[in-house]
Amino acid sequence: MSRLVKKSPSLCVDLPLDNTDVCNKLRLLRQLMTSCYGPTGKLKLVHNNIGGHVVTTSTSSVLLAAISSSQPLVNLIKTSVLNHVSRFSDCGLFAACLCLDLIEQAKQSGLRGNVCIGLNRHFLAVCVSYLQREDCCCKVKLDFCSSHNLIALARSVISSKPACLLTEQETLHISKLAVQAFLLTLPCDKPGTVSLGQTVTICVEGHSVLNSAVFPGLLVDVTGVLCVNKSDNLSSHRMLLFSASLAGDIPELGEGIIEVSSGVDTDARILDQLLDLGKQAVEDDVKLFVCQKVIHPVLQHYLRSRGVIVIERLGITLMEPLILLTGAHPVATLHTSLQPKAYGKVRDLSIRQFGSKTLLHLLAHGESAICTMVLCHRNETMLSELKLVCQKTEHVLRLTLREPYALFGGGCTETHLAAYVRHKCTDRVTESAAVLGCSESEYLLGMDRFCSSLESVAKSLEHNGGNSLIDLTHAHNWTVHADVMNRCVEGSLGFCGCGLVEGGSSKKWTYLNTKYAEFSPAALTTDSPVQPRVLDSFTAKLNALQVAVETANLALDVRYIIKDVLDLARF
Amino acid sequence: MEESSEASVSPFVVVSPVLRHQHEQCKCVKLHRERKRESERVGQDGVEGYRGRKRPPVGLTVTEMLPVDRLHLKHVLQTVGALEATVLRSFGPEGGQVLFTRDTGQAMLTRSGTRILKALRLESPLARMVVECVWKHSSSTGDGSKTFILLLASLLRMIHTKACKEPNVSHTYNSREAAEAATARRFADELLAFALEELEDLIAVGVAPYGFCVSWEDLSAKSHPPAAHSEPHCVQKLLASFFHTRLGHTHCDFISNLTCEVLRHWMFVNDLPSSALHFVNDNFPALHTAVSGFPMSCSRLIEGQVIHRDFSVPCPRTEDQPVRAVVFSGYLQPKILSAGDVLKVGCGGQVTDEKSFVEFSAWSERSLQCVIANLQRLGVSVLLSAVKQSAAVLALAAQAQMCVVECISKDELALFAKLSGATPVSECWTIESRNVSTLTFCRPILLGAHRYVHLAFQDLEKTLTVEPCSLVICGAGEGQTDQLLLAVLQCVRSVLRVDMVLHTHSALHAQSRRPTDVSSEGSEDEAED
């Protein structure tokens, strides 16, 4: 009975957002998130209190997963952001910063809870409908005929993860590889619904990043010495793929018991069966013999001695790409003769050496959308971050297939949206306030708070003490160094955050989060030869915006917290 | 506290007030039930009275009870007040959410009174008893648990103040406090008497005329698609007001429209209108998918059925051609040895000879090939299985260009069987055309992190007269999706209860009711009526 843990009573917090402890924790989380945001974000070293693995990161998915809080509201926001990132792979920090900013602003504004929630939702709807409009001035349509914008998009994702520790040149190299891999996974021969191929990533530690490369086809890690007979000038090789184990186990006959009398050699019987399969494979001129699981050494030896390349223990993850590449049907029947249509084909076989790894390169016989990315980096931590970043980039690029748009990066979308909301909503204060059931002053206050939150997110891209400005023509985001004097600000502005607008004397600027008269942000002339340097994923950012506002609204709506406490003193 | 010190003096008194109060408590609860049928007036007054007071202390531990031996009305009030504080913040259309975290770290968001109270870990026996009463009440009415607590607290509070103000100080009581208790008891008895004798008439005069009759023509009218801007009908209003007590108020209209759409889709034409409610209630697990990581506004209905499993053998691209499917409830590959059987190998021909050991599995594979060949003859290209099949089945199916989905839950297979009209195969030797169903398509669908199987049925108009649909509920996190889904399910159940009560009452009270408009506050009442 002493093991019975008495449950302690629940702990309750009434109106959590009025509680200073809760607010302090939320503020701390906001500081943590904003300090990581953007290409110049500060890295975080994560390690737990009992030692163990140390992770260097600034990625929201890694960082948030490592944070454990006793505060339910913090966990609520954390889960929302993590869920968003796991679906869209980008804009996690944006969502976290915006959400926490909105909560803080709402608290400062002193607006009634439900009014504030209704207003946030209203302004979100204004933003979303604007972003989805054809004539939205802060998005670009992606042109798949040129890789420029795709590379810019990939580059923005990669450069916003400073924990990879890449130089400019390396960032560009990896961005190009990511786009190349993405393009290789697009099947181009078939009309109608297409299914995308796969990129298989192989990590090699201890090499320069510039040695990373992308190959069409599949690279399979092979152990042991392989002799690839180059003299074979056949255009294609036959291959055979087994999904069942060829280790010579006793076949599964059901749940009953098998009694074997002494003197009966069952192993030999089973091995004979396997060798029969091997014989047939050799007769049918199979060049490559692959098994997902283990192959009996005798069978391996037999096949190798007949000049067949044997790969065992392929693993379940490589099965699907291999099937797609070769067109083979995996075989799991050991007693029936091999069907001719089960065989797959590979065009070419060659050996590639990457550091200590020996890889067998398989090329597809026909058209295939499988490619392999070999990533190299100097040490393990950076390599794991680089691998994560490449997977995220691939996902972001794939999202463009559904919605071929990208948003201006570098904080320009945020400032532009803020200016648009201010302009759009000031016109119709009376009607909108009546519909939402609040007073005009509440409406204006709510609008100001919403826009300030957007602008604060743009502002938090700057970490080195610089100032953020907004131009009063296009409403893009600009940064100046801290040491630039007030008077000469205009001269020192090169390009805006996304690199599309150039500074000039004709424009006017104001510091972000200072009051400015509302204006209609102008569209850029379409024939401008300048291409944006920084682009954000449209799909990911749109979802992040919605999730952030919805989560903030939810947090504002939580009026009571009940928490079960584990009574640790009893353990 | 002075009371507790006094209590320790006379051990005799210790027990009786406790019992008395508990007894009274039960009566209060009963009385409250009677009373609830009356208009909201009493409750509202009580709530208003409470709202005027200072808000309860922050960080209050609900179960923190004083270690008293003797239970006073004051302590009862304290306990009920603590319960009241937990539900108060989520009461009414302006109410907010309660966030609950278990010690496992699992978060729950809710505005449902029953859920909040059930989630509390209570130590005080009195509090537990109150929660038990609420639970009983709400399981029979489906609603009104927050009102229950608020009304109870307000009644107790009123009794307490009155009793303190005018304690019947006579010589029979040796202390002021005993006198107070007696007065309180007297008030409670009077209240109970009132509830038993006069409340019924009051309801007949004061409440019943304002009730309205949800006519099922409303729901049936939904089977014709409603015009774009038509006035929402009664049922829709009823649903909307229900959601206003369950969800954050920005989500209510969207979710109530979605729920109406679901009911409209599942309306069986030649059946009672409430069949849709029964159907959705019974098959809810198979009819919905929760997707986290998306905003709530991405929630939608999708045509056909979603099977919450991925393809074990991927589907060859069929360009959405009609396909034939068969459901298997068992293994395709025969198991030769069942549990308890013994296969003897060797022994020179007694049972089996040495050779047949391998022959057995060869035979098993050959028979599997026959089954697959038979399926090919029937033109089947989708195999849906309740169990995990052997690797040989998957490999042979892949070679025969069939896709396989394994480990499908019972609920989903039952729904599939009902919609397709085909019988699941239990014996692989006898697959006939009655086991084969035709699907308009069968393709993978990506919902959130998971890839599922999405299929639609062909020729349903002839057999079933429903438009099958599956509800996809999106939310930023699991807490949100759970809340939305539970609200939809509770809403359906609550309307079902209205339906059942209507069936029994409509004959009796047909004349006394006259249709009026629904008020947005009214859902808690209607659910009971």
Side-chain angles (χ1 to χ4, degrees):
Chain A
M1 281 305 281
S2 61
R3 292 218 163 214
L4 189 70
V5 181
K6 194 169 166 251
K7 287 186 172 175
S8 25
S10 313
L11 197 73
C12 301
V13 184
D14 191 28
L15 297 178
L17 287 180
D18 291 352
N19 187 317
T20 35
D21 181 44
V22 178
C23 290
N24 285 340
K25 280 183 178 159
L26 288 179
R27 190 170 310 121
L28 188 67
L29 182 64
R30 189 176 67 84
Q31 282 162 1
L32 184 66
M33 293 291 117
T34 46
S35 68
C36 293
Y37 190 47
T40 58
K42 304 289 175 241
L43 301 186
K44 302 286 172 287
L45 273 176
V46 184
H47 70 112
N48 56 12
N49 55 2
I50 49 165
H53 204 61
V54 180
V55 184
T56 316
T57 192
S58 71
T59 321
S60 59
S61 53
V62 181
L63 194 59
L64 281 172
I67 294 173
S68 64
S69 170
S70 59
Q71 182 44 248
L73 266 187
V74 169
N75 287 331
L76 184 81
I77 293 164
K78 189 182 111 178
T79 349
S80 287
V81 175
L82 280 177
N83 277 327
H84 161 79
V85 177
S86 62
R87 304 289 167 269
F88 292 92
S89 297
D90 198 15
C91 298
L93 285 173
F94 167 78
C97 294
L98 182 61
C99 171
L100 291 159
D101 246 331
L102 280 170
I103 295 171
E104 210 166 297
Q105 296 273 4
K107 249 181 55 60
Q108 283 170 8
S109 71
L111 283 170
R112 277 182 295 133
N114 279 353
V115 170
C116 199
I117 291 168
L119 285 173
N120 280 346
R121 199 174 155 75
H122 169 74
F123 297 124
L124 171 69
V126 171
C127 289
V128 169
S129 65
Y130 176 63
L131 288 176
Q132 278 168 343
R133 261 166 45 184
E134 275 298 311
D135 60 339
C136 168
C137 305
C138 58
K139 71 178 177 188
V140 280
K141 194 161 169 52
L142 288 174
D143 178 11
F144 288 100
C145 299
S146 120
S147 61
H148 181 275
N149 278 346
L150 288 177
I151 291 176
L153 182 61
R155 202 173 152 207
S156 317
V157 178
I158 293 164
S159 65
S160 72
K161 309 283 188 291
C164 297
L165 294 170
L166 300 176
T167 61
E168 272 294 303
Q169 192 197 0
E170 288 167 344
T171 310
L172 191 65
H173 181 67
I174 293 290
S175 312
K176 282 180 180 165
L177 289 186
V179 173
Q180 191 192 346
F182 163 68
L183 293 174
L184 280 173
T185 58
L186 298 179
C188 42
D189 58 337
K190 290 179 188 112
T193 46
V194 292
S195 44
L196 294 178
Q198 280 188 20
T199 308
V200 176
T201 311
I202 293 174
C203 291
V204 181
E205 200 185 315
H207 279 251
S208 160
V209 180
L210 294 174
N211 286 350
S212 306
V214 168
F215 300 96
L218 198 61
L219 269 73
V220 186
D221 207 344
V222 280
T223 43
V225 190
L226 277 169
C227 46
V228 177
N229 208 344
K230 270 285 172 191
S231 61
D232 250 343
N233 268 340
L234 286 171
S235 59
S236 67
H237 305 283
R238 229 175 209 197
M239 68 88 67
L240 185 56
L241 179 61
F242 273 89
S243 61
S245 166
L246 295 176
D249 327 294
I250 291 175
E252 279 211 12
L253 294 178
E255 286 158 354
I257 302 160
I258 302 172
E259 270 181 19
V260 184
S261 349
S262 56
V264 179
D265 193 355
T266 47
D267 288 351
R269 295 270 334 141
I270 296 165
L271 189 56
D272 285 349
Q273 191 71 46
L274 293 178
L275 285 173
D276 283 348
L277 274 178
K279 251 176 226 156
Q280 202 199 335
V282 172
E283 274 165 23
D284 287 354
D285 199 22
V286 168
K287 197 82 188 111
L288 180 66
F289 192 99
V290 188
C291 181
Q292 184 192 337
K293 294 165 185 168
V294 180
I295 304 178
H296 198 288
V298 174
L299 179 60
Q300 283 194 42
H301 180 78
Y302 171 79
L303 289 168
R304 289 220 173 97
S305 66
R306 297 291 188 281
V308 179
I309 301 172
V310 182
I311 301 173
E312 60 162 357
R313 302 174 210 239
L314 185 73
I316 188 82
T317 42
L318 283 180
M319 284 296 277
E320 202 183 329
L322 190 59
I323 292 168
L324 289 173
L325 184 85
T326 59
H329 291 294
V331 182
T333 46
L334 308 182
H335 300 283
T336 38
S337 57
L338 298 164
Q339 300 289 319
K341 62 180 170 186
Y343 294 118
K345 276 180 181 174
V346 281
R347 179 154 54 93
D348 196 15
L349 290 167
S350 55
I351 295 284
R352 287 181 191 274
Q353 198 77 30
F354 272 93
S356 57
K357 283 191 177 169
T358 314
L359 304 166
L360 180 68
H361 190 178
L362 312 175
L363 275 171
H365 174 64
E367 187 79 35
S368 111
I370 303 294
C371 69
T372 309
M373 190 179 215
V374 180
L375 286 177
C376 308
H377 211 323
R378 290 176 287 276
N379 72 36
E380 196 194 340
T381 323
M382 297 184 226
L383 188 58
S384 64
E385 181 92 358
L386 184 63
K387 186 181 178 189
L388 195 77
V389 169
C390 285
Q391 283 164 354
K392 281 171 184 291
T393 315
E394 188 197 9
H395 191 189
V396 166
L397 288 170
R398 284 188 170 197
L399 289 174
T400 61
L401 292 174
R402 202 161 286 172
E403 287 170 305
Y405 294 102
L407 290 169
F408 295 157
C412 291
T413 299
E414 288 88 340
T415 49
H416 182 90
L417 269 183
Y420 174 79
V421 170
R422 280 185 212 273
H423 170 70
K424 178 94 180 164
C425 296
T426 324
D427 289 350
R428 295 174 300 174
V429 178
T430 324
E431 309 92 277
S432 307
V435 171
L436 290 163
C438 62
S439 72
E440 280 181 35
S441 58
E442 279 176 329
Y443 185 86
L444 287 172
L445 184 60
M447 180 185 83
D448 193 49
R449 293 297 165 173
F450 186 87
C451 296
S452 312
S453 303
L454 279 174
E455 286 165 354
S456 318
V457 177
K459 225 176 135 176
S460 51
L461 276 170
E462 177 56 47
H463 297 280
N464 300 323
N467 285 314
S468 299
L469 300 106
I470 177 172
D471 70 284
L472 299 178
T473 331
H474 304 292
H476 277 224
N477 181 34
W478 306 72
T479 44
V480 282
H481 273 292
D483 47 3
V484 175
M485 294 305 286
N486 240 352
R487 263 170 294 157
C488 46
V489 161
E490 273 150 47
S492 64
L493 289 166
F495 279 94
C496 73
C498 66
L500 204 56
V501 188
E502 197 175 356
S505 51
S506 60
K507 293 188 181 69
K508 278 203 166 75
W509 285 270
T510 177
Y511 286 105
L512 264 186
N513 275 350
T514 52
K515 263 204 164 328
Y516 57 87
E518 56 90 10
F519 65 99
S520 168
L524 287 146
T525 43
T526 42
D527 52 342
S528 150
V530 188
Q531 297 270 20
R533 280 189 299 117
V534 186
L535 286 175
D536 282 343
S537 165
F538 174 77
T539 322
K541 197 143 207 171
L542 190 63
N543 195 74
L545 184 69
Q546 286 169 297
V547 164
V549 176
E550 209 160 89
T551 310
N553 275 352
L554 185 67
L556 290 172
D557 205 20
V558 170
R559 309 284 164 82
Y560 204 85
I561 293 179
I562 305 170
K563 194 169 163 248
D564 274 359
V565 216
L566 256 188
D567 210 346
L568 288 173
R570 283 172 202 274
F571 287 109
Chain B
M1 300 250 152
E2 67 256 61
E3 288 89 355
S4 57
S5 62
E6 227 178 81
S8 59
V9 177
S10 65
F12 176 70
V13 209
V14 174
V15 185
S16 63
V18 175
L19 287 177
R20 252 177 50 190
H21 277 292
Q22 282 198 340
H23 185 56
E24 188 179 295
Q25 187 72 31
C26 291
K27 272 187 187 159
C28 278
V29 170
K30 265 193 211 157
L31 169 138
H32 165 70
R33 278 202 202 179
E34 302 288 333
R35 194 114 198 217
K36 256 198 67 62
R37 302 267 160 83
E38 210 201 332
S39 71
E40 286 273 309
R41 196 178 55 82
V42 180
Q44 292 293 2
D45 281 355
V47 173
E48 286 311 314
Y50 189 86
R51 286 242 166 112
R53 284 156 42 105
K54 274 191 176 169
R55 59 185 178 78
V58 173
L60 163 90
T61 311
V62 177
T63 48
E64 209 173 78
M65 283 286 297
L66 298 168
V68 283
D69 295 323
R70 189 170 166 180
L71 196 59
H72 283 280
L73 186 52
K74 207 188 271 179
H75 304 129
V76 177
L77 201 53
Q78 198 186 356
T79 311
V80 177
L83 290 178
E84 187 189 23
T86 54
V87 295
L88 184 70
R89 296 289 174 204
S90 56
F91 182 71
E94 289 285 299
Q97 315 266 355
V98 173
L99 175 61
F100 179 83
T101 34
R102 290 181 196 287
D103 45 17
T104 53
Q106 201 185 10
M108 175 183 99
L109 273 165
T110 188
R111 282 187 65 195
S112 145
T114 325
R115 271 194 106 192
I116 298 169
L117 293 171
K118 285 279 282 182
L120 285 174
R121 278 182 185 168
L122 296 166
E123 250 169 19
S124 148
L126 178 72
R128 284 192 198 176
M129 189 207 64
V130 173
V131 169
E132 191 66 25
C133 289
V134 175
W135 176 242
K136 292 248 168 69
H137 162 78
S138 71
S139 55
S140 69
T141 60
D143 206 349
S145 47
K146 275 173 284 180
T147 324
F148 187 116
I149 292 284
L150 296 183
L151 194 51
L152 174 65
S154 130
L155 282 176
L156 286 175
R157 200 170 292 120
M158 295 297 271
I159 288 174
H160 181 64
T161 9
K162 283 226 164 190
C164 289
K165 218 179 274 172
E166 41 170 311
N168 197 352
V169 192
S170 71
H171 302 292
T172 39
Y173 301 103
N174 49 10
S175 73
R176 180 184 168 81
E177 155 209 337
E180 271 177 26
T183 324
R185 175 68 197 270
R186 190 169 52 77
F187 281 133
D189 285 343
E190 280 172 17
L191 209 52
L192 183 61
F194 167 77
L196 288 175
E197 286 151 25
E198 292 166 47
L199 204 55
E200 188 81 5
D201 300 336
L202 257 174
I203 291 170
V205 178
V207 182
Y210 300 101
F212 82 107
C213 192
V214 183
S215 73
W216 287 113
E217 283 82 69
D218 281 340
L219 257 184
S220 347
K222 272 187 291 181
S223 51
H224 314 292
H229 294 292
S230 66
E231 188 67 12
H233 47 70
C234 282
V235 177
Q236 199 158 354
K237 279 186 190 169
L238 184 67
L239 298 191
S241 56
F242 181 89
F243 285 118
H244 268 286
T245 67
R246 286 291 189 277
L247 300 174
H249 67 146
T250 43
H251 299 340
C252 296
D253 295 332
F254 185 84
I255 292 293
S256 73
N257 287 341
L258 207 59
T259 313
C260 276
E261 273 296 288
V262 172
L263 292 178
R264 193 177 71 70
H265 273 86
W266 287 109
M267 194 79 79
F268 292 81
V269 165
N270 299 321
D271 209 339
L272 278 177
S274 56
S275 61
L277 294 165
H278 281 289
F279 187 86
V280 173
N281 186 26
D282 296 344
N283 294 289
F284 199 65
L287 288 180
H288 77 261
T289 315
V291 179
S292 54
F294 292 87
M296 193 277 304
S297 50
C298 290
S299 306
R300 63 195 181 274
L301 292 185
I302 49 179
E303 180 204 359
Q305 191 188 353
V306 173
I307 287 178
H308 297 95
R309 285 278 157 194
D310 193 7
F311 288 104
S312 304
V313 174
C315 195
R317 247 184 290 152
T318 51
E319 303 296 339
D320 288 353
Q321 295 285 310
V323 288
R324 292 176 172 214
V326 170
V327 174
F328 291 92
S329 51
Y331 299 100
L332 268 127
Q333 186 168 19
K335 296 256 173 205
I336 297 165
L337 294 179
S338 52
D341 288 352
V342 178
L343 173 69
K344 290 192 177 174
V345 181
C347 312
Q350 270 184 13
V351 183
T352 54
D353 63 350
E354 197 185 324
K355 194 174 181 236
S356 61
F357 177 79
V358 177
E359 292 272 295
F360 262 109
S361 52
W363 172 79
S364 155
E365 272 176 17
R366 273 199 302 277
S367 68
L368 177 63
Q369 280 176 326
C370 292
V371 174
I372 296 279
N374 186 26
L375 287 170
Q376 269 184 312
R377 197 175 47 77
L378 287 164
V380 172
S381 58
V382 178
L383 309 183
L384 304 171
S385 159
V387 293
K388 178 131 185 64
Q389 302 287 354
S390 64
V393 173
L394 302 186
L396 284 179
Q399 281 178 28
Q401 305 262 310
M402 295 174 186
C403 58
V404 185
V405 189
E406 299 173 295
C407 306
I408 306 173
S409 79
K410 269 199 187 107
D411 295 337
E412 284 166 1
L413 282 182
L415 181 67
F416 181 87
K418 186 172 165 122
L419 294 175
S420 64
T423 345
V425 178
S426 49
E427 189 55 66
C428 294
W429 306 112
T430 55
I431 303 170
E432 296 163 14
S433 55
R434 69 187 175 92
N435 301 116
V436 180
S437 50
T438 312
L439 307 174
T440 328
F441 58 79
C442 174
R443 58 191 174 204
I445 182 172
L446 192 71
L447 291 174
H450 304 282
R451 195 166 62 168
Y452 296 128
V453 178
H454 182 200
L455 38 87
F457 303 92
Q458 209 171 35
D459 301 332
L460 267 188
E461 304 83 50
K462 291 171 203 156
T463 53
L464 267 176
T465 65
V466 282
E467 308 162 53
C469 67
S470 188
L471 178 64
V472 178
I473 288 283
C474 301
E478 269 130 52
Q480 287 96 307
T481 51
D482 282 355
Q483 188 190 17
L484 292 169
L485 284 169
L486 206 74
V488 172
L489 186 59
Q490 280 181 346
C491 175
V492 168
R493 287 189 182 156
S494 182
V495 180
L496 255 182
R497 250 175 236 113
V498 178
D499 174 57
M500 282 190 288
V501 179
L502 264 183
H503 273 290
T504 50
H505 281 242
S506 54
L508 296 168
H509 297 285
Q511 293 92 353
S512 68
R513 288 165 193 271
R514 69 165 188 265
T516 53
D517 220 334
V518 203
S519 69
S520 64
E521 294 276 327
S523 76
E524 304 212 335
D525 265 354
E526 266 94 62
E528 280 192 343
D529 277 346

